[in-house]
Amino acid sequence: MTVTKFVLPDSDIPTTWYNVVPDLPKGLPPMLHPGTREPITPADLEPLFAADLIEQEFSTAKEVEIPGPVLDIYRQWRPSPLVRAHRLEHHLGTPARIYFKYEGVSPAGSHKPNTAIPQAYYSKRDGVRRLTTETGAGQWGSSLSMACAYFDLDCEVFMVRVSYDQKPYRRGLMETFGASVSPSPSERTQAGRDALAADPHSTGSLGLAISEAVEAALHSGGAAKYSLGSVLNLVLMHQTIIGQEALLQFAMADDYPDVVIGAAGGGSNFAGLALPFLRRQFEGGSTVRLIAAEPTSCPSLTEGSYDYDFGDTAGLTPLAKMHTLGHEFRPPAIHAGGLRYHGMAPIVSALREIDLVAARAVPQTACFEAGVLFARSEGIVPAPESTHAVRVAVDEAVRCRETGEAKVIVFSLSGHGHFDMQAYIDYFAGKLTD
Ligand SMILES: *Cc1c(COP(=O)(O)O)cnc(C)c1O
């Protein structure tokens, strides 16, 4: 019998997160204060984040314990399955062994609750009453809304206007969890009003929605803090639960990957899967090739500069050294596949600079083509973001067919696409172009 699915028992769920920062060969450049351009201190972040989260952002400990109440919620869907894609292999006629780690089993349908849950937990413990955030496609907003419902926090979401209009179901999900959702740009903040004054028909951007959410937290008189779903060191650390589980699952499978692939928007699901394998490599284990897949229409890692830039459009956030297309970047309107952020996580960017991470940009029609192939062979419709990882995994497997190498490929299937069927419908109608 061929084993397809590697399921860890509940008792084997990892109980710590892995922090790569102390292991980075060249360290990590500090974030800079937006006013003084001096390195920021923990105190500078206090208006934005709960104390424990700030400590994690600056932490140099290799491991951080996962709190019991967070583990209890993780256990509702974790450990997530590692699946051998036998049918996809067969379809491609490749000698490669293809595995995927499936994060779409979470209630919100993606990996994002892995960080939303601890962010809500620590904020509640710090006496916060409300979390503000932005969302693009709606994945992060629905994950944080769910986390806030668990911990009895109010949740205020600024949703990029174009998605607010095109994705009513994600908005409905957030409202079901109790969040209040405003289209961004909105009249609720100065950043939003300025954007509307410049262009009353502005469809918004992630960078602008971040400005609004940060401003709403800063002007809340201390009642609200801000929450970010990617990019930060602490977010990447929370996501390492994915790769730590995968390590245990590869041991069950008696196999080990040569190539680890993830779709990279801000870099968190890719890093969450990849960093525990990189740790193994640092500790003398096998070398793994880590590949971040990004859209050709928002190519921060492959074409951005490695520079200090703001995380948002209005310049309210600290500056981070990262691969960036510039904080005023707006992805072209033809782009349907998510992953629209102008920057990349500083950790992923630093690893790219020293070639421990490779990057590949893939055009959206090729991504949807791979997503459809994957759905027809494995039965799961990937989120548009995740199709970027599927595309690169398929390309690697096809290369193995040509060279005859039986490489082991694992990719992060970061979410399902059940709320994104319009993008697939548009793809079938030939409305998506590169
Ligand atoms: C948000 C999201 C991404 C991109 O964000 P990262 O921080 O790069 O992981 C990828 N896939 C899915 C399904 C998402 O919801």
Side-chain angles (χ1 to χ4, degrees), residues 54-71:
I54 296 170
E55 194 184 315
Q56 290 182 358
E57 187 62 17
F58 285 89
S59 174
T60 53
K62 248 190 210 196
E63 286 185 348
V64 172
E65 200 160 323
I66 306 177
V70 172
L71 274 178

Side-chain angles (χ1 to χ4, degrees), residues 45-51 54 123 126 128-133 144 213 216-218 220 222-227:
L45 293 182
E46 265 166 33
L48 283 182
F49 301 113
I54 296 170
S123 301
D126 207 36
V128 174
R129 295 214 302 279
R130 176 163 37 106
L131 286 176
T132 69
T133 199
L144 191 70
L218 292 177
S220 69
K225 299 241 157 141
Y226 166 71
S227 186

Side-chain angles (χ1 to χ4, degrees), residues 18 23 62-63 275-283:
Y18 167 53
D23 284 340
K62 248 190 210 196
E63 286 185 348
L275 294 179
F277 289 96
L278 188 60
R279 177 189 195 173
R280 216 18 107 74
Q281 178 179 324
F282 288 149
E283 291 169 353

Side-chain angles (χ1 to χ4, degrees), residues 355-377:
D355 280 329
L356 287 176
V357 162
R360 214 167 287 164
V362 273
Q364 68 174 346
T365 53
C367 290
F368 278 96
E369 181 193 36
V372 171
L373 169 66
F374 185 81
R376 290 178 188 176
S377 34

